[in-house]
Amino acid sequence: MKQEKIYLKDYKAPAFAVDSVNLDFNLNEDFCRVVAKSQVRRTEAGAALRLNGEELKLVSIKINDQALSKDQYQITAEELIVPSVPDSFSLEIETELQPQNNTSLEGLYKSNGIFCTQCEAQGFRKITFFFDRPDVMTSYSVTIEADKQKYPVLLSNGDRIKIEDLGNGRHKAFWKDPHKKPCYLFALVAGDLGVIRDTFTTVNGRKVNLEVYAAHGKQERCWHAMDSLKKSMKWDEEVFGLEYDLNDYMIVAIDDFNAGAMENKGLNIFNSRLVLADSNSATDVDFHSIESVVAHEYFHNWTGNRVTLRDWFQLSLKEGLTVFRDQEFSADMTDRGVQRIEDVDALRAGQFAEDAGPNAHPVRPESCMAVDNFFTMTIYEKGSEVIRMMQTIVGRKGFRKGMDEYFRRHDGQAVTIEDFASAIATPNGKDFTQFRRWYHQAGTPVVTIQESFDADKGELTVTLEQSCPATPGQPHKDPFHIPLMMGLLDKSGNELTLSCDKITVNSDGKSLIELKEQKEVYTFKGLKDRPVLSVLREFSAPVNLKWEASEEDLYFLMEKDTDSFNRREMAQKISLRLLRNLIGQARNKQTLAVDPRFVKAVSATIADESMDPSFKAKMLQLPSYAVLAQEESVLDAEAFYQARTALRQAIAKENRGALLNIYRKFHNVEPKSRDTKVFGHRSLKNQALAYLAELHDPEIMEAVNKQYWEAQNMTDRMTAMMILADSESAHREKALQHFYEDWKDDSVVLNKWFTAQATTNRKQVLEDVKALTKHPAFNITNPNNVYSLLRAFGANLVRFHDPNTNAYEFYADKILEIDTKNPQVAARLCAAFNFVQKLEPAMKEKALTQIKRMVAVESLSKNSRELLQSALS
């Protein structure tokens, strides 16, 4: 099957405008009728009417109330075409759907007896024939008719107009959205749901009704989401001056949902796992994630809804910007330094790997086969970093001024990345022409640093050189505009004045280097002694540093840098050097020898009682397997495992007593509290326990088992269960069985049980995963089940790439099976093959054989095909 690419360069403005649309839904158990009545105007002379539509049964089509005969229109697999239409006309289209059979979870579908929609990116075309593109914005009126008893809740976007009892056991709801929007923001929910209610009073005194819906019996686990929503609304008013613009804001939790959540105007639809939480069922990480995602979807009200995107190639215009906003919100709600570490860890593990893999693409891609494949870490997380760099260059005050200008210029419009960059640059007197290369050049830039100190002159010379590896379709890269926050420290760790004529100062008074050339030299004068350079503070640009700093400087910065991100970064750099040596020893079948100097430095961190527990927990983390896979030229999973385990065991052995003291100190501190400070205590305590478990000491495993059975919160219980799941302890099976029995009726929590087993390092994990795919609790049509078990296993580098198993063949079988039901979910699994080019020859051949087998399937979706074909190149 030939599948054509679409290109940004081929963008054309829409040939028609839609002034208004009325959607009438008649919901039944075995079918749904949709009548769409639109007022349409021609904007391009002579153009035929071409409406997007897929998997639809057309009942009728009328223009100006006149039914069209079959010879007056044409239907293809993707379009309804009417060659001849007036310049202005009313259009009425009736379609018939079967939501109960819609396993793609796009358009209108049914989840556990609840009708709901997911229209981003191109799901609206599965509801009715329409201009399914973001630059066609119109006013929506919606009526929903359904059985009153089965579907008492009938929701859509905007304002509730009225609800009518039809007197025949059915009722009808009327909704009108006062704001024009593209069809991807349309939403509908109909079902029997529990609800919690609250209100929020805006800065200008308007009272907004807030509602969070979930399955009956689970609504009481929605209060954290409600609190997160209110915090988000207040923060957006205070930080960006943005007030909510409707009378109601609704969130609905749905079990079957492809993504995390969707920002439909006034009616957000969420994956249940990102709404439901209490201390018994959710971990501290869950609470944090819910707060972040609720904020993200709320912030879209302005960055995505009020100002939307002209075309899908501009996706980062809303997603990168809104990720940046939710990260800033999370930093203000917690600890800014720790939050930055978490965000960068996620970026490096996922997006840097994407940039270095076969599917590397720019923040604004030039082409695609499937628009759904745009929802990547590059678009979201790297897009966020690009926005953050803009803020770094102009400063927070300047960035707020630019955001105000953006909304002043473009409220109610569908715009481009250039429009946004101009709005930030112009009021700050900046030229972002070169900076915009971040949007159209793929890959992670490399910045090489060289230092020399002239003691006689008291001058430090720093030479910076930038490059960027070739990526698919982009062999050559022009120099980026890279902002580097930096500092110089004296021997006592005190900040020195930066005396250099090339340093720029932003609106907040912060000093930075703006590297724009391929190579630039910076001279710092007036220095009495050689200073220690601290560069890329706060991770001010998404780059890789090639900096052969001395061990003395790295250890000094690890202990004394005033920038918390860089302090932890130095610990990561040192451990990466050690791990590289240990991996080499493992590959050469040598005895693994751990450098005692690093163990001593980590021991000092463990013993430092003045250090914030949240930050200490981050300092004790070693680079992930995903980061090792990027750093090493060959992905040798077993060598990675041996090296990382040896280092963790050496730290645990040296610090057994100190780690036990940490564990005991924080073990029973406010076990049910959801305070962020207590989150830090738990994080450190459980980090200590995980290190101690590396010793395989029966006494320690008894403590782990005791924590599982006595835990008063899900964080402690999950930590213990994951340690037991990854062990050969006699307690393992009993704990796993108990967790299953406790939560078998709650799919959101039970997914943690699947993940705990899919991510272990046990040699038999593949057989465990195979068995779990046949478990009664596993449903291959449920995205959360698939992600928690299969995608988690695909990300388990140690066992997915085990040469002694047939993991690749098993995984390919599952991708093919899921692809026939839900292409979006199948495509997300394909990322497991991104490291194929780094595998040793025998493993590489095994992986390529399976990729070729999948691509050879003629019916393979364009979503999966696009990603897998790239892995073959």
Side-chain angles (χ1 to χ4, degrees):
M1 180 186 295
K2 188 176 181 181
Q3 292 164 326
E4 300 292 339
K5 281 192 172 186
I6 57 173
Y7 294 87
L8 171 62
K9 64 181 176 61
D10 293 336
Y11 171 82
K12 286 181 62 178
F16 293 86
V18 181
D19 294 322
S20 65
V21 60
N22 179 275
L23 297 172
D24 185 85
F25 289 83
N26 191 306
L27 304 176
N28 299 279
E29 296 308 294
D30 53 350
F31 73 97
C32 167
R33 286 287 176 93
V34 182
V35 178
K37 298 179 180 179
S38 309
Q39 296 298 317
V40 184
R41 285 183 290 112
R42 185 192 300 279
T43 56
E44 179 187 318
L49 181 69
R50 307 181 77 96
L51 303 173
N52 305 109
E54 294 180 6
E55 302 171 21
L56 295 173
K57 178 182 177 182
L58 179 65
V59 178
S60 67
I61 175 172
K62 297 178 182 178
I63 290 181
N64 292 333
D65 295 324
Q66 296 296 311
L68 299 190
S69 59
K70 290 186 177 181
D71 61 353
Q72 290 179 292
Y73 62 87
Q74 176 188 358
I75 295 181
T76 70
E78 297 183 344
E79 284 187 313
L80 168 62
I81 305 165
V82 185
S84 179
V85 294
D87 288 342
S88 179
F89 57 95
S90 65
L91 174 67
E92 180 179 318
I93 294 176
E94 183 174 351
T95 52
E96 185 176 299
L97 319 175
Q98 293 184 320
Q100 73 279 6
N101 297 328
N102 182 358
T103 61
S104 72
L105 310 186
E106 295 178 279
L108 177 66
Y109 64 94
K110 216 170 180 183
S111 168
N112 296 321
I114 301 166
F115 287 100
C116 80
T117 57
Q118 169 58 15
C119 294
E120 186 181 33
Q122 296 179 331
F124 194 77
R125 63 189 61 190
K126 292 187 175 183
I127 294 173
T128 188
F129 291 98
F130 199 71
F131 301 101
D132 194 353
R133 47 189 290 170
D135 56 353
V136 175
M137 302 173 71
T138 191
S139 300
Y140 283 75
S141 298
V142 179
T143 57
I144 311 166
E145 181 188 325
D147 184 281
K148 186 177 180 180
Q149 185 174 356
K150 290 183 178 179
Y151 310 102
V153 175
L154 303 176
L155 308 176
S156 192
N157 311 85
D159 296 327
R160 293 176 173 92
I161 305 302
K162 62 179 179 177
I163 297 179
E164 286 183 357
D165 190 328
L166 301 180
N168 57 353
R170 295 174 69 81
H171 63 155
K172 196 167 192 176
F174 297 77
W175 291 80
K176 185 172 179 59
D177 191 342
H179 300 277
K180 287 191 173 184
K181 63 177 180 282
C183 65
Y184 82 86
L185 291 172
F186 168 75
L188 175 153
V189 173
D192 188 3
L193 293 158
V195 63
I196 62 169
R197 294 183 171 89
D198 204 341
T199 61
F200 177 82
T201 302
T202 72
V203 67
N204 287 315
R206 280 194 313 105
K207 187 176 179 181
V208 180
N209 300 310
L210 309 178
E211 299 174 345
V212 183
Y213 292 84
H216 283 291
K218 296 182 179 180
Q219 65 266 33
E220 292 304 312
R221 285 160 59 187
C222 296
W223 283 110
H224 176 65
M226 179 69 82
D227 291 343
S228 301
L229 174 58
K230 293 170 72 174
K231 286 181 184 177
S232 307
M233 298 175 84
K234 187 172 187 292
W235 184 89
D236 217 14
E237 290 181 345
E238 293 174 346
V239 176
F240 286 103
L242 299 173
E243 183 181 5
Y244 186 59
D245 54 2
L246 289 170
N247 297 323
D248 299 277
Y249 193 94
M250 299 164 287
I251 291 173
V252 180
I254 296 293
D255 286 346
D256 296 300
F257 203 73
N258 285 339
M262 180 57 206
E263 71 270 17
N264 316 297
K265 183 75 178 179
L267 176 57
N268 291 180
I269 300 176
F270 271 62
N271 192 313
S272 295
R273 67 181 174 82
L274 289 167
V275 175
L276 305 179
D278 58 25
S279 59
N280 291 326
S281 63
T283 65
D284 295 344
V285 171
D286 293 332
F287 279 107
H288 185 61
S289 296
I290 289 168
E291 183 178 76
S292 172
V293 176
V294 167
H296 180 96
E297 305 309 331
Y298 174 74
F299 297 152
H300 265 311
N301 186 62
W302 282 89
T303 50
N305 297 3
R306 286 284 289 258
V307 184
T308 195
L309 51 153
R310 185 195 73 177
D311 56 77
W312 288 110
F313 292 96
Q314 318 292 330
L315 181 60
S316 193
L317 173 71
K318 74 180 183 78
E319 294 300 350
L321 177 55
T322 306
V323 168
F324 166 76
R325 278 159 41 75
D326 81 53
Q327 288 177 350
E328 285 292 283
F329 166 78
S330 293
D332 284 345
M333 296 300 108
T334 55
D335 178 279
R336 183 163 285 273
V338 170
Q339 182 63 41
R340 188 66 183 135
I341 289 168
E342 290 178 356
D343 292 338
V344 175
D345 280 355
L347 180 82
R348 282 181 166 149
Q351 195 282 318
F352 275 30
E354 201 166 81
D355 254 352
N359 289 296
H361 56 277
V363 174
R364 182 172 66 186
E366 296 295 320
S367 67
C368 76
M369 191 178 291
V371 168
D372 295 329
N373 288 348
F374 278 164
F375 293 79
T376 64
M377 290 198 74
T378 296
I379 303 297
Y380 281 64
E381 275 71 22
K382 187 173 182 178
S384 169
E385 295 299 315
V386 174
I387 302 294
R388 186 176 297 278
M389 285 189 287
M390 290 187 191
Q391 177 174 270
T392 298
I393 292 168
V394 303
R396 289 178 181 274
K397 295 174 185 174
F399 188 74
R400 168 62 191 272
K401 187 163 58 174
M403 288 289 284
D404 289 347
E405 178 68 7
Y406 178 58
F407 297 121
R408 186 191 69 77
R409 292 183 186 183
H410 301 299
D411 189 12
Q413 298 177 12
V415 299
T416 66
I417 279 163
E418 284 81 4
D419 294 321
F420 177 79
S422 172
I424 302 298
T426 302
N428 287 288
K430 287 287 184 178
D431 181 354
F432 278 166
T433 303
Q434 180 182 354
F435 182 85
R436 291 202 304 269
R437 289 174 185 165
W438 283 102
Y439 282 108
H440 60 79
Q441 292 188 154
T444 304
V446 176
V447 176
T448 302
I449 303 176
Q450 292 184 325
E451 306 171 68
S452 65
F453 181 67
D454 188 324
D456 294 333
K457 292 183 178 180
E459 293 180 354
L460 175 72
T461 300
V462 178
T463 303
L464 300 179
E465 191 167 357
Q466 64 165 296
S467 60
C468 189
T471 53
Q474 292 187 342
H476 170 76
K477 313 294 171 70
D478 293 321
F480 291 83
H481 178 176
I482 304 174
L484 299 170
M485 292 179 62
M486 64 163 296
L488 297 176
L489 302 176
D490 67 17
K491 292 180 180 179
S492 299
N494 299 312
E495 294 282 343
L496 297 171
T497 302
L498 300 179
S499 179
C500 174
D501 56 8
K502 289 187 176 181
I503 294 289
T504 61
V505 180
N506 67 21
S507 65
D508 303 324
K510 289 194 174 182
S511 300
L512 61 145
I513 286 171
E514 295 187 54
L515 177 62
K516 297 182 180 180
E517 304 299 326
Q518 183 177 344
K519 184 176 182 179
E520 291 193 50
V521 179
Y522 302 83
T523 302
F524 299 87
K525 301 179 180 181
L527 301 167
K528 293 181 180 179
D529 300 297
R530 177 189 172 276
V532 177
L533 174 66
S534 172
V535 69
L536 198 60
R537 287 180 160 181
E538 298 180 19
F539 200 69
S540 57
V543 301
N544 277 317
L545 284 186
K546 190 176 180 182
W547 180 29
E548 295 305 318
S550 67
E551 279 198 359
E552 285 69 27
D553 282 358
L554 293 181
Y555 279 110
F556 174 86
L557 291 167
M558 178 180 169
E559 180 185 357
K560 295 184 180 295
D561 202 333
T562 57
D563 179 73
S564 60
F565 175 84
N566 256 15
R567 190 173 174 187
R568 197 266 194 160
E569 181 73 353
M570 297 308 108
Q572 294 285 292
K573 283 188 176 296
I574 298 166
S575 56
L576 276 170
R577 288 186 182 182
L578 265 66
L579 287 167
R580 190 173 296 120
N581 292 332
L582 291 169
I583 289 168
Q585 293 168 16
R587 286 175 60 81
N588 292 322
K589 311 300 182 185
Q590 298 171 334
T591 301
L592 274 59
V594 174
D595 185 345
R597 184 174 181 181
F598 179 72
V599 176
K600 184 178 179 181
V602 174
S603 300
T605 297
I606 291 171
D608 186 351
E609 294 192 358
S610 67
M611 189 179 292
D612 175 76
S614 294
F615 181 63
K616 184 183 288 191
K618 295 299 178 188
M619 287 290 288
L620 295 181
Q621 287 178 336
L622 296 180
S624 66
Y625 288 118
V627 170
L628 290 179
Q630 296 169 50
E631 292 287 326
E632 293 295 302
S633 58
V634 176
L635 197 167
D636 187 330
E638 183 59 30
F640 288 5
Y641 173 64
Q642 290 180 27
R644 201 169 181 276
T645 301
L647 189 51
R648 286 179 59 82
Q649 287 178 341
I651 293 168
K653 185 176 180 181
E654 181 68 23
N655 293 280
R656 187 181 190 278
L659 290 168
L660 275 171
N661 287 339
I662 288 174
Y663 181 73
R664 289 164 181 155
K665 178 180 179 180
F666 294 118
H667 184 45
N668 289 312
V669 176
E670 300 181 69
K672 288 186 176 293
S673 173
R674 298 206 299 263
D675 181 80
T676 54
K677 185 177 180 180
V678 177
F679 283 6
H681 295 161
R682 274 199 285 269
S683 177
L684 180 58
K685 174 194 74 173
N686 286 317
Q687 179 84 274
L689 186 63
Y691 264 104
L692 289 165
E694 297 281 3
L695 300 175
H696 305 295
D697 183 327
E699 180 186 353
I700 299 298
M701 295 312 293
E702 285 296 333
V704 173
N705 186 53
K706 185 178 180 182
Q707 174 165 309
Y708 174 82
W709 292 100
E710 296 181 358
Q712 297 180 54
N713 58 75
M714 184 56 79
T715 302
D716 287 348
R717 175 154 283 129
M718 275 301 300
T719 297
M721 187 177 77
M722 292 187 79
I723 292 172
L724 291 173
D726 197 21
S727 75
E728 300 303 326
S729 167
H731 305 300
R732 180 181 188 273
E733 294 303 323
K734 188 175 180 180
L736 285 171
Q737 185 61 30
H738 173 265
F739 193 94
Y740 171 74
E741 292 296 336
D742 251 18
W743 296 104
K744 61 185 177 183
D745 297 323
D746 192 316
S747 62
V748 171
V749 181
L750 194 62
N751 283 324
K752 301 177 190 299
W753 182 76
F754 285 123
T755 298
Q757 296 173 81
T759 53
T760 74
N761 294 311
R762 300 169 79 244
K763 291 186 182 298
Q764 58 268 51
V765 65
L766 174 60
E767 298 310 311
D768 292 342
V769 171
K770 286 181 176 180
L772 287 168
T773 62
K774 299 173 183 177
H775 193 282
F778 181 80
N779 178 359
I780 204 163
T781 65
N782 177 265
N784 285 345
N785 279 180
V786 173
Y787 298 154
S788 62
L789 181 63
L790 295 175
R791 187 161 68 168
F793 174 63
N796 181 348
L797 294 186
V798 172
R799 292 302 162 216
F800 185 71
H801 298 288
D802 186 339
N804 299 311
T805 70
N806 65 340
Y808 299 156
E809 182 180 0
F810 161 76
Y811 212 71
D813 287 343
K814 291 303 170 188
I815 289 174
L816 291 174
E817 180 181 355
I818 295 165
D819 191 73
T820 63
K821 302 177 177 68
N822 192 325
Q824 281 191 40
V825 173
R828 286 182 168 92
L829 299 185
C830 294
F833 289 102
N834 280 354
F835 287 116
V836 64
Q837 299 301 331
K838 281 200 167 189
L839 298 172
E840 291 183 302
M843 291 295 289
K844 182 177 179 180
E845 184 58 34
K846 287 172 71 173
L848 290 174
T849 296
Q850 297 306 319
I851 295 171
K852 291 173 182 176
R853 176 168 73 91
M854 289 185 282
V855 170
V857 175
E858 187 175 352
S859 60
L860 187 72
S861 72
K862 58 186 177 182
N863 304 70
S864 297
R865 184 176 301 280
E866 181 172 24
L867 300 179
L868 293 170
Q869 281 180 338
S870 298
L872 291 174
S873 58

